Every structure is written in structure tokens, then in C-alpha cells.
Amino acid sequence: DAGVTQSPTHLIKTRGQQVTLRCSPKSGHDTVSWYQQALGQGPQFIFQYYEEEERQRGNFPDRFSGHQFPNYSSELNVNALLLGDSALYLCASSLGPPSYNEQFFGPGTRLTVL
Amino acid sequence: GDSVTQMEGPVTLSEEAFLTINCTYTATGYPSLFWYVQYPGEGLQLLLKATKADDKGSNKGFEATYRKETTSFHLEKGSVQVSDSAVYFCALSDLISNQFYFGTGTSLTVIP
């Protein structure tokens, strides 16, 4: 079992560009959550996907959007990138709601916006 | 809104010393509480959890008790090892929204 995988590992973009990050959940998991972790901070919840729909959303602008595919993999899209979007983006998966079931984290994608 | 306040680090201890990392929370409902650990070069992983008041979570010699009266979930270990060096995150989950709220993390270094 490969666990949660994310791609790419690192990404460099310029302000105003758009970016897509990808996540494959742990085998058997159907729920994917995305987090933003700024340097020296804890992860901040962006949103959660279950059954291909966004179920919960944190305090992030509409520039942040996502998608979940029938195989439960997920994408995070960020439009009109700002310098402040530079962070480690974490994907976590669980079987059902993560409040009740352990969520497993991927290694993250490091996004740098210049 | 819900939030977690965590003891700031970094913390440096000698091997076999006693560890406490303080964590307090604010929540409108009755959340579940978690400690996650991030070892160097690795992803976040669940260390322990407690889902209701007075529950004690434990794993790998670490313990934390869900104290509703003091809104706290302090992490303790009686005798730390060099291999415990990592960043520790306290977190809560709102059972209605399933949103997770993390603290800022506490870096622990254990020296031989």
C-alpha cells in the first residue's frame, strides 16, 4: 500500500498564474481533505471531498477550488496566485469522516509563488 | 470559532526527561481532540486521540487526557528518547462539520 501520494513534490509559479495539485488517497479511502501549511504554522483546513462533492470548506477564498474523481483521487486548483499562497499543501485521506476515522497525510506539495 | 492554542517551542530535553506540551482549545460543541506528530522528513501522522471528556488517549508511551473543565489536552511522556525528536501538533475536530483545527506545532529535540 503506497499510502497517500501527492504530485508534484515542488512547484514554482509566478503571481497571477494558476496551479493544480494532485492527490491519490490511501487504498480504500473515500474522503479527501486538503490543508495549507505556511512555514512555521499548523495546517489550515481548505476543504473536504466525499462522493465527488465538496462537503466542508474552511475560510479560503473562491480562488481555491477542487475536484474529486470517481476513483477518489482529488485535485486542488488555485487561481490568480498571490505571494501569500506560498506554502506546503497537504492532502489527507480517510474512510469516512476524519473526525471518527483516522486520516492519513501525504508528504505534501511545496508551492512557491514568485 | 473553534481554535487550538499550543505551547510554543522549541523544546529541548535530555533523554529520559519528563515531557509536557500544553494544549488548550476553544470549541462551541464537543469536539474530538488529537495529537499529531511529524518526524523529520516524514508526513504528519496520528499519535493519539480522545473523543469525549475524561477520555485518555495513549500511544508509544505518550498520553493526553481530554479535560473539559479546563478545555485542555496536554501531551505527556514520562521518559523521552532521542527518537521522539519531532514536531507535535495538537488538533481538534468539530464533529458536526468534520473540520480540523490545528495548533501551530511544538518542536521537540531530545539530546542524548
Side-chain angles (χ1 to χ4, degrees):
Chain A
D1 183 3
V4 179
T5 59
Q6 293 185 242
S7 63
T9 306
H10 297 88
L11 205 50
I12 299 175
K13 292 286 189 178
T14 57
R15 280 179 297 175
Q17 284 189 311
Q18 179 264 343
V19 69
T20 297
L21 310 181
R22 295 177 175 81
C23 171
S24 291
K26 186 175 169 63
S27 178
H29 285 186
D30 57 7
T31 302
V32 173
S33 302
W34 286 92
Y35 296 83
Q36 180 194 67
Q37 186 176 14
L39 200 61
Q41 301 297 314
Q44 278 197 287
F45 176 79
I46 302 175
F47 43 52
Q48 182 183 99
Y49 277 84
Y50 172 70
E51 291 187 337
E52 302 180 50
E53 288 191 18
E54 183 183 295
R55 300 292 178 169
Q56 302 293 340
R57 188 177 185 92
N59 189 26
F60 279 80
D62 292 345
R63 297 187 298 110
F64 289 77
S65 63
H67 188 76
Q68 185 178 35
F69 299 93
N71 67 353
Y72 306 123
S73 66
S74 177
E75 289 182 348
L76 164 64
N77 301 293
V78 187
N79 293 323
L81 284 167
L82 304 174
L83 295 180
D85 295 332
S86 296
L88 181 68
Y89 288 84
L90 297 170
C91 169
S93 73
S94 57
L95 177 59
S99 296
Y100 299 95
N101 306 286
E102 183 176 353
Q103 60 177 344
F104 291 77
F105 283 82
T109 293
R110 173 72 63 187
L111 172 64
T112 301
V113 182
L114 303 176
Chain B
D2 293 0
S3 66
V4 173
T5 300
Q6 190 174 338
M7 172 176 138
E8 289 194 18
V11 174
T12 302
L13 294 174
S14 298
E15 207 165 20
E16 298 183 4
F18 184 84
L19 168 71
T20 299
I21 301 178
N22 290 336
C23 171
T24 57
Y25 68 90
T26 301
T28 53
Y30 300 95
S32 290
L33 300 174
F34 305 80
W35 277 100
Y36 280 81
V37 60
Q38 189 168 33
Y39 297 104
E42 298 184 19
L44 274 169
Q45 54 188 274
L46 179 65
L47 179 60
L48 54 84
K49 71 176 184 180
T51 57
K52 61 182 188 297
D54 299 325
D55 266 4
K56 178 185 283 188
S58 61
N59 187 25
K60 299 181 181 180
F62 290 89
E63 292 184 340
T65 301
Y66 189 140
R67 301 284 188 202
K68 185 168 177 287
E69 63 276 13
T70 54
T71 62
S72 65
F73 193 56
H74 304 322
L75 182 68
E76 296 182 336
K77 186 174 186 183
S79 175
V80 293
Q81 305 300 312
V82 172
S83 58
D84 294 326
S85 297
V87 181
Y88 293 82
F89 293 90
C90 183
L92 74 80
S93 174
D94 183 309
L95 296 181
I96 302 300
S97 71
N98 277 302
Q99 288 198 29
F100 266 72
Y101 300 86
F102 282 83
T104 54
T106 302
S107 175
L108 169 67
T109 300
V110 180
I111 54 177

